[in-house]
Amino acid sequence: MFAVIFWGASFIATKFLLEEISPETIISLRLILAIILLKVVALINKSDFTINLKNHLRILLLAAVAVFHLWIQITGLKYTTAAKTGWIIGTAPIFIALLGFLFLKEKLNSVRIYGIMIAFIGLLLLVGNGNPLNIDLVKNTGDFLVLFSSFTWGVYSIINKKISLNYSPLMTILYLFLLMALIIIPFSFNKQAINSVIHLSFVGWISILFLGLLCSGVSYVIWAYSLREMDSAKVGAYLYLEPFVTVLTAWLFLKEEITILMILSGLIIIFGVYLVNRD
């Protein structure tokens, strides 16, 4: 629940930061802060830092997916609203359930299939502003990028369920972030990025601290522990609360307009997701 609340509010913090720094720089700063926090926690807990090369190769794959996921999501957020993003991200449990069915042999019965269909009807209404025929790939680029990031989150969750059994969740995420940082930092280390960080506003620093320490450092570990102990579809079910957090915080902090159509479309999505994830 805490992870979902932090992630729901993360889109608002990211929106603030996109006015000052690039998506690659946002990701890099998030990772650096999260790595520092997790390293301190690991030392305090006297965690085992033993490296298994085979496991690290699997984590490298997960890191590549996670970096791609964050980059797509943040880039998409540049071209759409935080509230809309929150509803679209709400489809992530559907991809988790589908991938769990394909690769983990988890159940996908008729009720879940109906849920998937209902959720995508709501998604079409949301993206098309009430008329699916109005959907334009160029006009709705941000929406489609965010939707694709929902799929990549499903891929991340399924791979994470596989590798969390090899290391402790804390060490898995620490090694994951280290490899993610190695992948993304070369793309964000330039003079323009450095200057933008130096001149970051107070709100910008609060936003990046929130994203790095809570949304990445704390939430990813919680997610990993949950995936290790619970069925992936049940863990994914908590994600349907995330859009409500996003819509509320977007209205409070970004003054984004929340329309009746948006709420109706979002509720259809959530109902479909509920059917997908119920026992």
Side-chain angles (χ1 to χ4, degrees):
M1 185 72 73
F2 276 114
V4 169
I5 290 172
F6 291 147
W7 284 333
S10 71
F11 303 116
I12 284 73
T14 302
K15 266 291 192 182
F16 282 125
L17 284 168
L18 283 171
E19 297 179 1
E20 302 185 55
I21 55 180
S22 68
E24 297 81 11
T25 305
I26 293 173
I27 297 171
S28 297
L29 289 175
R30 281 184 67 165
L31 291 171
I32 291 170
L33 289 170
I35 289 168
I36 293 171
L37 174 64
L38 295 181
K39 181 66 179 294
V40 171
V41 173
L43 290 173
I44 292 174
N45 290 338
K46 298 181 179 179
S47 300
D48 183 7
F49 285 84
T50 302
I51 293 176
N52 181 298
L53 184 59
K54 184 178 180 180
N55 289 338
H56 261 55
L57 290 175
R58 293 173 181 173
I59 294 177
L60 179 60
L61 171 62
L62 185 61
V65 173
V67 166
F68 189 50
H69 161 75
L70 282 175
W71 181 79
I72 290 175
Q73 186 182 95
I74 294 174
T75 302
L77 194 54
K78 290 175 62 177
Y79 305 105
T80 189
T81 65
K84 219 173 183 183
T85 296
W87 290 119
I88 296 173
I89 288 295
T91 62
I94 289 177
F95 293 109
I96 294 174
L98 285 171
L99 293 169
F101 167 74
L102 291 173
F103 298 103
L104 300 180
K105 298 184 177 4
E106 294 178 354
K107 294 180 181 179
L108 189 64
N109 55 31
S110 59
V111 174
R112 287 186 169 184
I113 293 173
Y114 289 138
I116 290 171
M117 295 171 62
I118 291 171
F120 274 102
I121 289 173
L123 180 66
L124 291 173
L125 290 173
L126 178 67
V127 176
N129 292 320
N131 184 359
L133 298 177
N134 286 337
I135 296 176
D136 185 305
L137 184 59
V138 175
K139 181 180 178 182
N140 301 107
T141 298
D143 296 332
F144 283 111
L145 285 174
V146 172
L147 178 61
F148 190 59
S149 77
S150 293
F151 169 76
T152 57
W153 182 252
V155 175
Y156 169 86
S157 296
I158 296 303
I159 298 175
N160 195 10
K161 187 173 179 66
K162 285 287 189 181
I163 68 171
S164 290
L165 301 175
N166 298 310
Y167 289 130
S168 70
L170 174 62
M171 295 310 298
T172 296
I173 301 303
L174 176 57
Y175 289 140
L176 169 71
F177 285 174
L178 283 168
L179 292 174
M180 287 175 66
L182 290 176
I183 293 172
I184 191 66
I185 287 178
F187 294 98
S188 60
F189 191 76
N190 54 62
K191 185 176 181 180
Q192 181 179 356
I194 294 173
N195 286 333
S196 65
V197 173
I198 291 174
H199 296 95
L200 201 59
S201 68
F202 176 75
V203 172
W205 279 113
I206 294 296
S207 298
I208 200 61
L209 287 170
F210 173 73
L211 290 173
L213 298 179
L214 296 181
C215 298
S216 293
V218 173
S219 297
Y220 273 68
V221 174
I222 293 174
W223 191 256
Y225 271 106
S226 300
L227 285 168
R228 188 177 71 172
E229 301 297 332
M230 298 169 61
D231 182 271
S232 60
K234 288 185 178 180
V235 176
Y238 284 91
L239 287 174
Y240 68 73
L241 297 174
E242 185 176 332
F244 295 98
V245 177
T246 303
V247 169
L248 178 61
T249 50
W251 175 70
L252 287 173
F253 296 102
L254 297 177
K255 308 303 179 185
E256 289 186 357
E257 182 183 5
I258 310 300
T259 64
I260 297 297
L261 176 62
M262 181 184 294
I263 296 296
L264 178 61
S265 302
L267 289 175
I268 293 174
I269 292 172
I270 296 305
F271 178 65
V273 171
Y274 164 75
L275 292 179
V276 169
N277 288 283
R278 77 171 190 171
D279 290 330

